[in-house]
Amino acid sequence: MQQILAQRAVVGKSDHALPAMPKRLDEVDILAQIAKVADIIPGQCFIREGDPAAHYVLVTAGSVRVFKALPDGRRAITGFAGPGDFLGLAALDCYATTAEAINAVQIVRYKRLDMAPVLAAFPALATLLLVAAASELVAAQAHMMLLGRMNAREKLAAFLMGRVVARNRDVALPLARIDLADYLGLTVETISRAFGALKRDGMIVIHNAASITICDYLALKALASGADPRLARH
Amino acid sequence: MQQILAQRAVVGKSDHALPAMPKRLDEVDILAQIAKVADIIPGQCFIREGDPAAHYVLVTAGSVRVFKALPDGRRAITGFAGPGDFLGLAALDCYATTAEAINAVQIVRYKRLDMAPVLAAFPALATLLLVAAASELVAAQAHMMLLGRMNAREKLAAFLMGRVVARNRDVALPLARIDLADYLGLTVETISRAFGALKRDGMIVIHNAASITICDYLALKALASGADPRLARH
DNA sequence: CGGAATATTGATTATCATCAATGACGGTGG
DNA sequence: CCACCGTCATTGATGATAATCAATATTCCG
């Protein structure tokens, strides 16, 4: 479904130079009309907390970090986004978060104001957005549990488990420690020490800062699921 | 809009005994058909984390606490709901949270499976659900910042500011300390001490466990918005 | 009034943050 | 190609905050 939207967006882009004289609007045309593709360079921020929420944004390439910041600089990363993820769902009048490109990113913007007729003409789109929002909510709630009730080791274990793809025990960590810290509500030093602890306990092997391997999958899973905080002690 | 839905639900209930032989379905009939009203007694849990997500639930009366729990009993309250709030949005296959009545609660259940034709027939409903989900997401993200990056005093100040209604500086706290603790990611003892600290600093007056008055609104607001963690110190 | 549940206060400990220093990595230029 | 420098990650020492354990006080209800 995301692919369809992205496709439309591309169509929209190539149509961009055509005369703005629509014959008859079907879903494709509507979507194309309100879509605009953009390339974002690494580090650039393309959604800003507090700005009027003018667009929905679909990420089509690259990785994005989504965060909130306090006036004194403290930062909380609320999530990461990649190809197929929607941004701007968490917005009423204004965006509630900032979105920043981690690497080279491509996005498609859909004007929010113009969405109403599209939702009417293309009901499946409403369901799609609703499912996307529901997914984000589920993730957010799991993350609240993590932030509020788990200790450093459990947080890291949960994060690592969440990054396991298909029984493969090699886990890639394509993000800086500071991002991981702001995501887990810790400091980089505590992240380092938690990695060290998991290593000492034989749960993981650390190849380098960006790559580890899970040794004791079950123990890590137990830790991550919060079986008992005492299991998480030194 | 919530009122409309609730109304339909009531209609649905009174139609419940009628022959299941629809002449022609308009929005009202559709909504009525899939709605079911229920009364929930205090303490009862009416949505259970992990159960198949069969319904959307609209709260029409009373207060609800929404939470996740870990196997060892740790609990994180992700939010509270009252009249007009939707529950069950944060669900894909299964509910991600448990919902429990704090006091006498009335709800209306809408079968999820039957929603697709309704969304098609009644596009405004899709927008309504999307806005509800967006609101929850915004709240969830603010809460992640609170849980991950604020200290006890700031958390409490933020909570109190969030409960201020219309310039009235008397704040009601119709919830137990344990619920407040599980909501803010603290213990009841720390909650007590944070209340004491705000009181000592002349920001609030504590009448009893369920009612306080804000004295220094600006200072409390500064604290709540995270101007500087050093302001939050002893 | 009495007893249970809830809230506060106190003493101590555990965890994580902070400050500081060292070590590893990556890119650049000689 | 390798030395150099800046950034990032790790490790160590210390301190602050919140958790835990324990005792007392208060509130809520029957």
Side-chain angles (χ1 to χ4, degrees), chain B residues 158-172:
Chain B
F159 176 78
L160 293 176
M161 292 301 298
R163 292 200 56 83
V164 170
V165 285
R167 294 264 160 220
N168 182 357
R169 280 156 190 216
D170 296 322
V171 177

Side-chain angles (χ1 to χ4, degrees), chain B residues 151-152 186-187 189-190 193 233:
Chain B
N151 64 32
L186 298 169
T187 61
E189 294 95 329
T190 299
R193 288 185 240 275
R233 287 212 186 129

